């Protein structure tokens, strides 16, 4: 697989001196979803970002951020995270051969993401506080110069993440009528805006947030104060809020209708589209940002449990009805 940095080298701030730290990120499937699209009244395309190496789109930005950190001689990387940034930072730091220090808000990170980060060898500190408090800590250590910050405040993250727009436009053979993505901290919204801008497009972008940011079950967008909010508001992206009930309904529907098991945050866009929006009839690309296995507890709560049965064909046949 061509590394993202090689595929888009001419549109990224890298040079021959940049060591490419890659795990085969990007070049993810763009799936037409005619059945779910018909139910929603749109020509629906799904950008399946869960097929990135650590299971979320964060790898697009992390390959550039960690490659640049390595180029600049960083001795370690640091981030605060609701989970996917930590898994990605841990993986790319391991690949680069440098340590990762991860600050997570106490009790607020999904099980799969935490296990993944631990397994990847990162040092994980669980901060007594929320995401904002963890981020403040990470910024302070970065300021002291001991660690390179790889949160989305790192501009190289945005650079890498913008490449998703180029892929979508290339694969569709043109721009869709709209892009729809989830909105947590807003770094990804800025990346799409930048990608659209550099591709010379004015396609509308909808960014879907939770109506209850501090408490939503969608852990990847559970961010009380989006660090990029001023830039998101100035960007022209249209921000809409959805409820947890809407997210859960959309998330289960995506899995059952199209076979894509994502984490709840990734279904925020579909949750909004299920309301029946002004996008009726339009060609819409919805980005599915992260994998369902990231958050097994949530799936366990909402998916039907297995039915116990004796090891007997008649019993199995009866239970199958
Ligand atoms: C990070 C993340 C988001 C939110 O992206 P922001 O850049 O914080 O707005 C949404 N979904 C998933 C799966 C994520 O990992």
């Amino acid at each position: 697989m061509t590394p993202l940095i090689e595929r888009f080298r001419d549109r990224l701030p890298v040079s021959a001196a940049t060591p490419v730290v890659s795990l085969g990120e990007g070049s993810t499937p763009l799936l037409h979803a005619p059945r779910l699209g018909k139910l929603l009244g749109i020509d629906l395309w799904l950008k399946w970002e869960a097929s990135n190496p650590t299971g979320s789109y964060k790898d697009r930005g992390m390959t550039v951020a960690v490659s640049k950190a390595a180029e600049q001689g960083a001795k370690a990387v640091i981030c605060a995270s609701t989970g996917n940034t930590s898994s990605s930072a841990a993986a790319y730091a391991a690949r680069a051969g440098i340590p990762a220090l991860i600050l997570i808000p106490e009790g607020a990170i999904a099980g799969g993401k935490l296990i993944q980060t631990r397994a990847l060898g990162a040092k994980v500190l669980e901060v007594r506080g929320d995401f904002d408090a963890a981020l403040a800590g990470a910024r302070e250590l970065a300021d002291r110069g001991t660690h390179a910050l790889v949160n989305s405040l790192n501009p190289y993250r945005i650079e890498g993440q913008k490449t998703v727009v180029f892929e979508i436009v290339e694969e569709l053979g043109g721009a869709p009528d709209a892009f729809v993505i989830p909105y947590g901290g807003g770094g990804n919204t800025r990346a799409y805006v930048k990608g659209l801008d550099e591709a010379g497009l004015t396609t509308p972008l909808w960014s879907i947030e939770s109506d209850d940011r501090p408490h939503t079950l969608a852990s990847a967008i559970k961010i009380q104060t989006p660090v990029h909010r001023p830039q998101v508001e100035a960007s022209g992206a249209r921000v809409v809020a959805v409820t947890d009930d809407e997210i859960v309904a959309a998330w289960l529907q995506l899995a059952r209708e199209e076979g894509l098991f994502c984490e709840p945050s990734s279904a925020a866009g579909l949750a909004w589209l299920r309301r029946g929006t002004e996008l009726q009839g339009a060609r819409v690309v919805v980005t599915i940002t992260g994998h369902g296995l990231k958050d097994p507890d949530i799936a366990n709560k909402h998916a039907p449990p297995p039915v116990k049965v004796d090891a007997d064909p008649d019993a199995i046949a009866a239970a199958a009805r």
Side-chain angles (χ1 to χ4, degrees), residues 79-247:
C79 68
S81 175
T82 61
N84 284 329
T85 296
S86 57
S87 307
S88 189
Y92 283 82
R95 185 79 164 154
I98 55 177
L101 180 59
I102 311 291
L103 306 186
I104 58 168
E106 185 176 31
I109 163 166
K113 302 176 189 181
L114 181 52
I115 302 265
Q116 190 180 17
T117 305
R118 288 164 53 193
L120 284 161
K123 172 109 186 174
V124 181
L125 301 181
E126 195 167 5
V127 177
R128 293 188 196 96
D130 62 7
F131 173 80
D132 298 347
L135 181 60
R139 292 176 84 161
E140 175 61 29
L141 262 69
D143 285 347
R144 291 183 191 177
T146 52
H147 297 76
L149 186 72
V150 294
N151 274 98
S152 62
L153 289 163
N154 179 327
Y156 298 123
R157 286 271 312 278
I158 308 287
E159 290 290 329
Q161 287 170 207
K162 77 185 179 189
T163 60
V164 68
V165 174
F166 307 150
E167 283 182 21
I168 291 167
V169 172
E170 197 176 307
E171 192 143 352
L172 275 182
D177 297 318
F179 292 89
V180 182
I181 65 171
Y183 169 23
N188 210 30
T189 297
R190 290 183 71 185
Y192 275 69
V193 167
K194 190 160 203 288
L196 286 166
D197 191 44
E198 291 183 14
L201 298 172
T202 54
T203 313
L205 169 67
W206 266 267
S207 292
I208 315 302
E209 63 181 352
S210 164
D211 72 341
D212 187 8
R213 281 180 162 271
H215 306 111
T216 176
L217 58 68
S219 61
I221 55 173
K222 185 174 173 172
I223 293 177
Q224 183 151 14
T225 317
V227 66
H228 300 282
R229 182 181 270 158
Q231 293 87 348
V232 168
E233 282 175 358
S235 72
R238 299 160 201 210
V239 175
V240 187
V242 294
T243 67
D244 272 8
D245 286 348
E246 289 178 300
I247 288 175

Side-chain angles (χ1 to χ4, degrees), residues 31-55:
L31 303 165
H32 196 208
R35 239 147 27 84
L36 183 53
K38 194 167 175 213
L39 293 171
L40 301 181
I42 56 179
D43 180 19
L44 176 63
W45 295 76
L46 301 168
K47 185 63 167 166
W48 179 233
E49 289 285 89
S51 78
N52 276 297
T54 73

